[in-house]
Amino acid sequence: MAAAKAHSKGLYVGVDKHRWWKEAVVYQVYPASFLDTNGDGWGDVPGITKKLGYLKDLGVDVIWVSPIYKSPQADMGYDIADYEDIDPSYGTLADVDNLIKECKKRDMKLVMDLVVNHTSEEHTWFLDSRSSKDSAHRDWYIWKPAKYDAVGNRQPPNNWAQILGEANSAWTWDEKTQEYYLSLFTPEQPDLNWENPAVREAVHEVLRFWLDRGAAGFRMDVINLISKVQSYPDAEVIVQDHKYQPGDKFYANGPRLHEYLQDINQKVLSKYDTLTVGEMPFVRDENEIMRVVSAESNELNMIFAFDLVDIDNVPGDFKYTLHKWDARDLTRIISRLQRLMLERDGWNSIFVENHDQPRSVSRYTDDSPKYRTYGAKLLALMQTTLAGTLYVYQGEELGMRNVPPSWPISEYKDIESQNFWKKYNDLYAGDEAKLALARQVLQKKSRDNARTPVQWSREAFAGFTSREATPWMRVNDDYESCNAEEQLKNSNPTPGTLSVHAFWKRALAQRKRNKDVFVYGDFELLDQENRTVAAWRRWSATEAFVTVLNFSGEEVVWDGLGDVKVKKWVAGNCDESGIEEKRRSGGIVLRAWEGLLGVCE
Ligand code: GLC
Ligand code: CA
């Protein structure tokens, strides 16, 4: 009873606001790299079905699968040619029906990736659109006449840069009809014209198609880019050396975004029981975020905010840059979003990895053989003790790391990496220092890092595909020491500790057991200005926990608990043979990358 009293003050999400999608653990599958069952070197839908038992055992409730629709794969399926069919490299619609059925059997759900800011240039809508200026679908995309400079050279309608190829214009010239079309990501991904009501209705149909088939919701790809400022103004010049500039001010959270999202909600989503998460790059404004995710907004359940994964970008610059950060940056970001959602009744998503980001163990911690497992578990402890819907990316539960620095550029398959490398070679040909920097940036930041095949075992190609096959992407060299089979045996290289997988499994179970605290409880940062230790308290009306994370490779003595009294340390990433608080004058001793979870008195 004493405990009940001590924690009785706080902001908790009331029981009437409990939702399955708030408590869910979502696991993202990047299908090409998950598991190949037919020996063609590509992961496939039957491969996902085959691993449902593994995922259920880990503690996963929902699977979000990156695009498996028919696609020429210019951007790995984020360029869709048919929303209502499956790409043969992944399987068939019948395979997906079976996957949904098998999910249901295990009380799991499937969430689809909805990519509707743009289509593939091979979608029939676009083929018709580009066929002539007066085709039925001309107005389904964004066409503009050329501009001409002082000496009469043809120029795109404005100076916006392509997102996946920042040296290039976001506009693509069409020879046949002599106009430019907007293609924010790559020329193969023309942007849909959402101003046209027929486009909006067609998108609604796509949602219904998948919900009626049994999908439980959508991850909505760059959904905040669907409304553009209709005058298409030039962007301010902020990156010197570049002809084209970031134009996000004019296309991220544009004038009609909320109208479009409410329309989707009212006409489609409100008729089903769904999980919806909108990918929303470039947004920082709290009111803008709340308009989408607050409980009364009737737009989406939650968004992916980029603050945490942008922590090592030079502010204001393109993302392939390197920037130093410390624990204060991390806790500032975490605390802001945690408090925002509690105070204004919204909902967070918690993630540090996906198919567009490098591996978290390499990015935020130390992926050397000595520290990799500690780093991976530190991040598991961090994420499982924060409020929001939790997203785990394939291989994150194994502590998979970035590709080795020794890999040649030819192993980087992503269009964004290729464009970045080409840009450096064009801009700085022969400048060895600049090219070395570009290589370093790719190894640290490229999306390829997350896209290497999942390491299932010590077999050939880590068990991702058959021995005779050629995997579409090279398997990380470290698969013999980092793979699921080993970790399931829980024979970890470091005696006395759990494997990364076993640690995740236990942390997910603990989160569920104490969901009043970890999912719905209040949040308070401890020792805000510490440069190496991130720490917070979470509590419900009856219980409280404290998380302490040493984000450094040094031993530190920490005394940031303040008034908080720890009754018992219940989990830690270092010493599992009875976690005891090690004290020295001045505070608790935390080893390099050590993380602790304690129950408060
Ligand atoms: C999102 C996807 C990314 C893709 C882009 C364009 O950011 O996650 O992989 O390249 O949208 O669809
Ligand atoms: Ca296959």
Side-chain angles (χ1 to χ4, degrees), residues 75 78 115 118 164 185 189 219 221-222 279 355-356 447 451:
D75 184 21
Y78 283 90
V115 188
H118 45 269
L164 299 182
F185 286 89
Q189 294 162 292
R219 175 266 186 185
D221 190 69
V222 292
E279 186 202 23
H355 64 292
D356 294 331
R447 310 197 295 183
R451 299 180 180 186

